[in-house]
Amino acid sequence: ASDLAHKSISELLRLRKESHSLVSFDEMRRLWDSTLNFTLRLERFSGQKAYGLRSTLLSQAKAFVERRHEGNMANLVAALDGERWTQCDVSAERQRTLTRLCSGRA
C-alpha cells in the first residue's frame, strides 16, 4: 500500500511539474509542506525511505526556483534597460575599489 501511494504521488507531482513551477511562493510552500509531511508519515508507516518521492519533490522545488529566478532576471534586465545611463568621471581610488569588488577580491 505504501509503495502504491509513493509511486502515485510521485507520478502526480511529475505530471504537474510545469504547472507547479508557475504557482505563487505561498502555494509552493504549502505544496512542499504537505508533500513532505505525507512523505515523513509514509516513511514512518513503511519503515523505508521514500527516495523517489523526495527526489520528485526536490525537482518540483528546483523548477519553481529556476522559473522564479528567470522572471526576476527578466524584470531586472527590463528595469536596467529602461534607465538612462550617463558617463561620469570617478576618482582612481574609487575605480580601484569598484574593480576589486567586481573581480570578487573585496
Side-chain angles (χ1 to χ4, degrees):
S2 66
D3 233 14
L4 179 61
H6 169 242
K7 289 177 182 175
S8 297
I9 297 298
S10 292
E11 182 65 14
L12 178 65
L13 288 173
R14 189 187 65 74
L15 291 171
R16 296 192 45 82
K17 182 177 182 178
E18 181 67 24
S19 60
H20 285 160
S21 72
L22 300 171
V23 299
S24 71
F25 177 78
D26 289 334
E27 290 170 322
M28 178 49 94
R29 183 166 181 189
R30 278 194 300 276
L31 174 68
W32 175 271
D33 289 343
S34 61
T35 306
L36 188 57
N37 186 30
F38 173 80
T39 303
L40 293 172
R41 287 178 184 208
L42 181 66
E43 289 172 344
R44 274 195 300 266
F45 175 75
S46 69
Q48 299 175 354
K49 289 288 186 186
Y51 293 114
L53 186 51
R54 287 176 176 267
S55 175
T56 303
L57 183 58
L58 285 173
S59 176
Q60 297 278 313
K62 182 180 178 191
F64 172 80
V65 169
E66 286 174 351
R67 177 71 60 104
R68 180 65 58 102
H69 177 67
E70 288 170 6
N72 289 343
M73 289 299 292
N75 290 340
L76 179 61
V77 166
L80 291 174
D81 285 345
E83 291 182 0
R84 264 182 30 148
W85 292 80
T86 58
Q87 186 172 349
C88 65
D89 294 326
V90 295
S91 67
E93 180 183 342
R94 180 163 287 183
Q95 183 61 52
R96 281 192 300 276
T97 302
L98 290 171
T99 301
R100 196 172 64 246
L101 282 170
C102 291
S103 68
R105 293 180 285 144

